[in-house]
Amino acid sequence: MGTRARANGEGSIYPYKNGYAAYAWVTLPNGLRRRKYVYGQTRDIVHDKWVELQRQAKRGPMVTKTPTLGEYLTYWLREIVEPNLAPRTVENYQRFVRLYLQPGLGRKNLARLSRQELQTWINKVARTCQCCEQGKDARRREPKRRCCAIEQCCQQRLTPVALKDVRTCLRNALNNAVGDDLLDKNPALSIRIPAVRKKKGKRWSSEHARKFLASAKADNDPLYAAYVLVVVLGMRKGEVLGLPADAADFEQRRLTVGYQLQRVGGKLVHRETKTEESDSTLPFPPIVGTALQLRLADRDKDKQDAAEAWHDFNLMFGTRYGTPCDPRNFNRSWDARIAKAGVPKITVHDGRRTCGSLLADLDVHPRVAMAILRHAQFAITMEIYTEVSDEATRAGLKKLGDSLE
């Protein structure tokens, strides 16, 4: 009974079920050696796969079983995300994986993910009521149930920004899988979502900013200096609240920015700023120096009044007992001061935007504004923060009109 002679080196290719199979010895990530198999309908197909398998085995350690996406996401969060990224980013990625990626894609084989499959999944996420999907209304006590649990769907869908963040999380995880040689290419790179329209941020005029700060100073608001840092120096909320008590050099009139305070996972975290560009030593004008001196005097008084109840966290801004100021309480104080000052309501971040816009109104060079606001990219300074006021726009149009007459 004759059989086709095996080619040299093909001893591991053999008939299997309705086709052929082959194996090669590979080294696992833990150092052990094990067989890895490939399959196909014809000997030639299996031979090509077998040759590629041997090539990969010579490059270095590899896995013998492709994990599911859920298994890989668990590894990615634990070994890549948590040790290397900022706490807020870690928290966001954990939430995206728990609420969207694991339920919808967790059981899928990582190596078999396709662009079409991922596109169908993200389209479904976009049109699904997340209150229904996550059982939010069902977890409320019965008298307080008002929508999904009583079959009155509230249509709580993800915003385009949130959907984009979920896609970014998936893309980053699969990019890492490509780097681990578990995928040849990232199938999530080409999935489409609705375009995100940038919202034009609000801002104050110089008169509104002056009125806001004057109101805080007149009432001896304990956060007056914090408001000055936001509006005049364009500092971020977290940077202001994380500012050490000794950050100001009054002789050189410089302020060192290198820390931030954030609420992450229900806890306040005092850590370094987001990027190296955020770290800076900023010169400050007299209004900032005066405000910071008032703040340090109030801090010393609080420390004396608190006596043994004082907790020294070495922060410029805190409670009357020295503990960190919760960012949510800072937002409430900001809103309350706006109401007292009688100026248009804007967010703390819009206060930072106001600084950039006022610099533009004063014809400060964009590169100088970029240094003051500590942006990593010049485009951010130009597109987001240097919005000219209506008055400047009118003046520019008047100049154009005069030149055409």
Side-chain angles (χ1 to χ4, degrees), residues 39 57 105 237 245 290 387:
Y39 305 93
L105 299 170
K237 175 176 58 181
T290 301
E387 297 174 352

Side-chain angles (χ1 to χ4, degrees), residues 209-270:
R210 184 203 63 77
K211 189 175 179 181
F212 174 79
L213 296 179
S215 171
K217 185 177 182 180
D219 291 347
N220 294 318
D221 192 316
L223 291 175
Y224 163 66
Y227 302 152
V228 170
L229 293 178
V230 172
V231 176
V232 178
L233 291 187
M235 287 181 62
R236 302 171 178 89
K237 175 176 58 181
E239 295 170 346
V240 172
L241 299 182
L243 201 64
D246 56 355
D249 182 344
F250 293 102
E251 291 185 3
Q252 299 293 326
R253 294 206 303 183
R254 291 180 176 275
L255 185 69
T256 301
V257 181
Y259 293 90
Q260 61 181 331
L261 185 73
Q262 291 181 322
R263 176 166 286 281
V264 181
K267 298 180 180 179
L268 292 178
V269 178
H270 190 228

Side-chain angles (χ1 to χ4, degrees), residues 50-80:
W50 178 71
V51 170
E52 175 63 19
L53 178 61
Q54 286 193 319
R55 185 184 66 81
Q56 293 177 356
K58 291 178 180 179
R59 286 195 318 194
M62 58 189 301
V63 296
T64 57
K65 178 183 177 183
T66 304
T68 63
L69 178 60
E71 292 169 341
Y72 187 76
L73 288 172
T74 300
Y75 156 80
W76 177 68
L77 288 175
R78 183 183 68 248
E79 302 296 339
I80 306 301

Side-chain angles (χ1 to χ4, degrees), residues 151-167:
E151 298 182 358
Q152 294 180 7
C153 184
C154 57
Q155 301 296 320
Q156 189 185 98
R157 297 185 177 90
L158 288 182
T159 65
V161 173
L163 193 66
K164 182 180 179 181
D165 290 340
V166 172
R167 183 184 65 174

Side-chain angles (χ1 to χ4, degrees), residues 16-269:
Y16 180 80
K17 293 186 177 180
N18 295 325
Y20 292 84
Y23 68 86
W25 287 95
V26 301
T27 302
L28 303 180
N30 60 10
L32 299 177
R33 286 180 59 78
R34 185 170 297 173
R35 291 178 178 180
K36 183 175 176 65
Y37 292 83
V38 292
Y39 305 93
Q41 291 184 345
T42 68
R43 180 180 290 273
D44 289 340
I45 291 175
V46 173
H47 176 266
D48 292 341
K49 290 183 178 181
W50 178 71
V51 170
E52 175 63 19
L53 178 61
Q54 286 193 319
R55 185 184 66 81
Q56 293 177 356
K58 291 178 180 179
R59 286 195 318 194
M62 58 189 301
V63 296
T64 57
K65 178 183 177 183
T66 304
T68 63
L69 178 60
E71 292 169 341
Y72 187 76
L73 288 172
T74 300
Y75 156 80
W76 177 68
L77 288 175
R78 183 183 68 248
E79 302 296 339
I80 306 301
V81 174
E82 293 177 11
N84 300 300
L85 301 184
R88 181 67 61 80
T89 304
V90 172
E91 183 183 44
N92 287 338
Y93 279 2
Q94 288 173 338
R95 186 175 73 256
F96 297 152
V97 169
R98 183 181 72 254
L99 296 180
Y100 310 110
L101 300 182
Q102 282 282 18
L105 299 170
R107 296 183 179 181
K108 303 292 184 180
N109 185 287
L110 180 63
R112 297 176 183 172
L113 288 175
S114 66
R115 177 205 176 272
Q116 292 83 359
E117 186 174 34
L118 296 182
Q119 184 68 63
T120 300
W121 164 77
I122 205 163
N123 290 345
K124 181 180 178 182
V125 171
R127 61 175 178 261
T128 298
C129 171
Q130 296 304 315
C131 183
C132 293
E133 186 72 11
Q134 300 170 29
K136 295 179 181 179
D137 194 45
R139 291 195 296 269
R140 298 187 179 105
R141 294 180 180 179
E142 191 167 344
K144 295 185 177 181
R145 293 177 179 175
R146 59 178 182 269
C147 49
C148 302
I150 57 175
E151 298 182 358
Q152 294 180 7
C153 184
C154 57
Q155 301 296 320
Q156 189 185 98
R157 297 185 177 90
L158 288 182
T159 65
V161 173
L163 193 66
K164 182 180 179 181
D165 290 340
V166 172
R167 183 184 65 174
T168 298
C169 177
L170 176 62
R171 282 181 171 179
N172 289 344
L174 296 185
N175 275 337
N176 202 81
V178 172
D180 288 341
D181 292 328
L182 295 176
L183 292 174
D184 293 329
K185 60 181 181 180
N186 186 343
L189 291 179
S190 56
I191 60 176
R192 303 285 298 274
I193 59 174
V196 178
R197 298 187 63 179
K198 294 182 180 180
K199 293 184 179 180
K200 186 177 180 180
K202 298 179 181 179
R203 62 181 295 280
W204 279 331
S205 66
S206 57
E207 178 60 25
H208 290 148
R210 184 203 63 77
K211 189 175 179 181
F212 174 79
L213 296 179
S215 171
K217 185 177 182 180
D219 291 347
N220 294 318
D221 192 316
L223 291 175
Y224 163 66
Y227 302 152
V228 170
L229 293 178
V230 172
V231 176
V232 178
L233 291 187
M235 287 181 62
R236 302 171 178 89
K237 175 176 58 181
E239 295 170 346
V240 172
L241 299 182
L243 201 64
D246 56 355
D249 182 344
F250 293 102
E251 291 185 3
Q252 299 293 326
R253 294 206 303 183
R254 291 180 176 275
L255 185 69
T256 301
V257 181
Y259 293 90
Q260 61 181 331
L261 185 73
Q262 291 181 322
R263 176 166 286 281
V264 181
K267 298 180 180 179
L268 292 178
V269 178

Side-chain angles (χ1 to χ4, degrees), residues 326-358:
D326 193 301
R328 294 177 298 189
N329 290 336
F330 185 85
N331 288 340
R332 296 185 185 102
S333 299
W334 173 274
D335 293 341
R337 176 53 53 188
I338 285 176
K340 290 182 180 179
V343 295
K345 185 175 180 179
I346 64 173
T347 65
V348 179
H349 193 69
D350 286 333
R352 170 173 162 81
R353 185 187 301 273
T354 293
C355 174
S357 297
L358 293 179

